Amino acid sequence: MRVVIEHEVGKSLGNITSDASNSVVPDRVGLPLTGGALRLARSILRYETVRAPQFIDITDDVEGVVASSGVSDGWVTVFSRHTTAAIKINEHEPELLKDLSRLLVSVAPEGGTYFHNDFTVRSVNMNEDECPNGHAHCQHLLLSASETIPLVDVRLMVGRWQRIFLIELDHGRARDVVVSVMGCEPDPPSEDGAGPQAGR
Amino acid sequence: MRVVIEHEVGKSLGNITSDASNSVVPDRVGLPLTGGALRLARSILRYETVRAPQFIDITDDVEGVVASSGVSDGWVTVFSRHTTAAIKINEHEPELLKDLSRLLVSVAPEGGTYFHNDFTVRSVNMNEDECPNGHAHCQHLLLSASETIPLVDVRLMVGRWQRIFLIELDHGRARDVVVSVMGCEPDPPSEDGAGPQAGR
Amino acid sequence: MRVVIEHEVGKSLGNITSDASNSVVPDRVGLPLTGGALRLARSILRYETVRAPQFIDITDDVEGVVASSGVSDGWVTVFSRHTTAAIKINEHEPELLKDLSRLLVSVAPEGGTYFHNDFTVRSVNMNEDECPNGHAHCQHLLLSASETIPLVDVRLMVGRWQRIFLIELDHGRARDVVVSVMGCEPDPPSEDGAGPQAGR
């Protein structure tokens, strides 16, 4: 079976007019690609959160998993295994994180009234240490459990300001994030001594 | 071509300090991986919804597709083919679903005023049976068309409380959800009689 | 290594009752699949936006990348490399885009007060041409950086009304969108002269 990696450079896709006042001009920007054997890798990262909302920048850890995965070109999916902790990409600027936290709290404040918090009515999924966290589930509804990011040359193709956050919405505890990597190795492994560009 | 599946266990990534008051300690938690031939599988699930907002737990169906896909380790993407029906992961607790429904209605109530509902002005995408559903599109903007979930040992790597929902935002009708699975078979198929761990 | 593409048609998954008043009946709808060598392709599309919020329909461009990728069955991930420009799927109806814009503005108006905009306090990520854009980051928190869409027969498996939008949240500028395609070629490449269905 062949694995073919292809990248088009500089091929114009024509003009777009999404509405009358637009002057959108699509263009392609080229990046070099290399190829090799297909690899799948996965790691679970565990974090101890301390409060909510808490934005934990896990970008360096995700990059660490990618670096050790042996995958050069492909994808990484970052997945939170929790219904009250989310994964989102945004800028890591401390003042901005205050704004984002304030928005989440305004959407669903912890002190609000939630059916989920009425333990006199609820009968499903009740634990001995059940905490009222309807606000955290509501905030999560508007966020995401995962982000999928393309990889090139063993690097995340994120933009200059993009950082990956685990967002704690409930209260401090252990949280698991699954980092899954799929793609090709940088070099064709010892086929005929040719370089990574050979045979493409 | 080789397929390499790799998983790192217990390798520390060092300390994270996402802000001054954090004491976040990342750690890796190991899960066993098995490998084999690469498989792609896909099924479309059709549901008849009855009202909006309606949260339909499709987790068992997604697990059924995964079980019959022959894929052991990889990913599943669950995709709604609709602009007024979303896919989200949250907890399946009946009282909580009332909270989530209430939040969606508060963000964009059906009785609100929407340009999309003004059929005296609108000229695009008009059908004979067009219903005013601006609220459903607005709610969908804050949700998602898809979720991507890692797989290990033919199981979704979801956490204890995570369930996958198709969320009807408009009104009862037939809805199609595409479930796509990609990954490796549990065992290398009859290469040299060795077990699944051989040659890795 | 084998690549196996599998699709189940008409296999019932049994009844679902997500709550007492449901009459949800899941059913599978079949689509033919073809298979071949595995391909990975990627292109970066550049757009010049002109205002915010601006909804730019990039569906035709994504389809163009898919068509030139050589991938028949698999996935495409559309990823925005920006923290103030998002990727979302919704209907392309001009009046509706006004509703969606109005919702974003109401969630986080440009004229609101944001910690991120207080340049007398902020010390991180400050540029010479820094613009106050806390509203754009807050709007982005409730949207997504990417969408993942299944492919069949070189076509996006989107529904009738689904269109892919790049959403500008800040102000007009150059924006890069990464389109990554993974999957199988339409035909097994010259193995024994058999058709695409052979050996499956």
Side-chain angles (χ1 to χ4, degrees), chain B residues 169-181:
Chain B
L169 301 170
D170 195 356
H171 62 80
R173 64 177 75 177
R175 296 296 201 177
D176 287 347
V177 175
V178 184
V179 181
S180 297
V181 192

Side-chain angles (χ1 to χ4, degrees), chain C residues 73-186:
Chain C
D73 292 291
W75 293 264
V76 59
T77 294
V78 183
F79 180 80
S80 163
R81 300 188 74 198
H82 307 279
T83 53
T84 55
I87 303 291
K88 292 297 282 185
I89 294 175
N90 215 307
E91 181 181 342
H92 190 168
E93 191 279 298
E95 298 300 312
L96 175 62
L97 300 186
K98 295 181 191 173
D99 291 318
L100 301 181
S101 296
R102 188 178 58 179
L103 175 60
L104 291 175
V105 168
S106 74
V107 164
E110 186 177 359
T113 304
Y114 301 92
F115 295 105
H116 186 60
N117 295 355
D118 185 351
F119 297 167
T120 65
V121 172
R122 237 180 93 183
S123 60
V124 176
N125 293 355
M126 289 297 295
N127 290 317
E128 287 193 9
D129 59 344
E130 192 68 30
C131 289
N133 64 355
H135 67 291
H137 287 283
C138 285
Q139 292 170 11
H140 195 280
L141 181 70
L142 305 184
L143 301 176
S144 299
S146 72
E147 293 273 6
T148 297
I149 303 152
L151 302 177
V152 61
D153 294 340
V154 203
R155 289 179 298 107
L156 299 172
M157 290 192 74
V158 288
R160 180 179 177 190
W161 305 115
Q162 285 185 306
R163 303 292 292 180
I164 309 164
F165 290 95
L166 167 67
I167 312 177
E168 174 61 72
L169 301 171
D170 194 356
H171 62 79
R173 65 176 76 175
R175 296 296 201 177
D176 287 345
V177 175
V178 184
V179 181
S180 298
V181 192
M182 194 285 289
C184 290
E185 297 180 347

Side-chain angles (χ1 to χ4, degrees), chain A residues 98-115:
Chain A
K98 296 181 191 173
D99 291 316
L100 302 181
S101 296
R102 188 178 59 179
L103 175 60
L104 290 174
V105 168
S106 75
V107 164
E110 186 176 0
T113 304
Y114 301 92
F115 295 106

Side-chain angles (χ1 to χ4, degrees), chain A residues 14-113:
Chain A
N15 288 329
I16 292 178
T17 49
S18 70
D19 63 48
S21 62
N22 272 3
S23 63
V24 178
V25 181
D27 190 18
R28 295 202 183 188
V29 180
L31 282 182
L33 276 185
T34 60
L38 193 66
R39 292 179 78 97
L40 287 80
R42 179 177 64 238
S43 285
I44 301 183
L45 305 174
R46 176 162 288 178
Y47 296 91
E48 293 289 338
T49 64
V50 294
R51 65 174 185 277
Q54 182 185 9
F55 285 73
I56 301 157
D57 187 334
I58 65 172
T59 314
D60 291 347
D61 291 347
V62 173
E63 288 177 340
V65 174
V66 170
S68 64
S69 73
V71 173
S72 172
D73 292 291
W75 292 262
V76 59
T77 294
V78 183
F79 180 80
S80 163
R81 301 188 74 199
H82 307 280
T83 53
T84 56
I87 302 291
K88 292 296 282 185
I89 294 175
N90 216 307
E91 181 181 342
H92 190 169
E93 191 279 298
E95 299 299 311
L96 175 62
L97 300 186
K98 296 181 191 173
D99 291 316
L100 302 181
S101 296
R102 188 178 59 179
L103 175 60
L104 290 174
V105 168
S106 75
V107 164
E110 186 176 0
T113 304

Side-chain angles (χ1 to χ4, degrees), chain A residues 64-173:
Chain A
V65 174
V66 170
S68 64
S69 73
V71 173
S72 172
D73 292 291
W75 292 262
V76 59
T77 294
V78 183
F79 180 80
S80 163
R81 301 188 74 199
H82 307 280
T83 53
T84 56
I87 302 291
K88 292 296 282 185
I89 294 175
N90 216 307
E91 181 181 342
H92 190 169
E93 191 279 298
E95 299 299 311
L96 175 62
L97 300 186
K98 296 181 191 173
D99 291 316
L100 302 181
S101 296
R102 188 178 59 179
L103 175 60
L104 290 174
V105 168
S106 75
V107 164
E110 186 176 0
T113 304
Y114 301 92
F115 295 106
H116 186 60
N117 294 355
D118 186 352
F119 296 167
T120 65
V121 172
R122 237 181 93 182
S123 60
V124 176
N125 292 356
M126 290 296 294
N127 289 318
E128 287 192 9
D129 60 345
E130 192 69 28
C131 290
N133 63 356
H135 67 291
H137 287 283
C138 285
Q139 292 171 11
H140 196 281
L141 180 70
L142 306 184
L143 302 176
S144 298
S146 71
E147 293 274 6
T148 296
I149 303 152
L151 301 177
V152 61
D153 293 340
V154 202
R155 289 178 298 108
L156 299 172
M157 291 191 73
V158 288
R160 179 180 177 189
W161 305 114
Q162 286 185 305
R163 303 292 291 180
I164 308 165
F165 290 95
L166 167 67
I167 312 177
E168 174 61 71
L169 302 171
D170 195 356
H171 62 79
R173 64 175 75 176

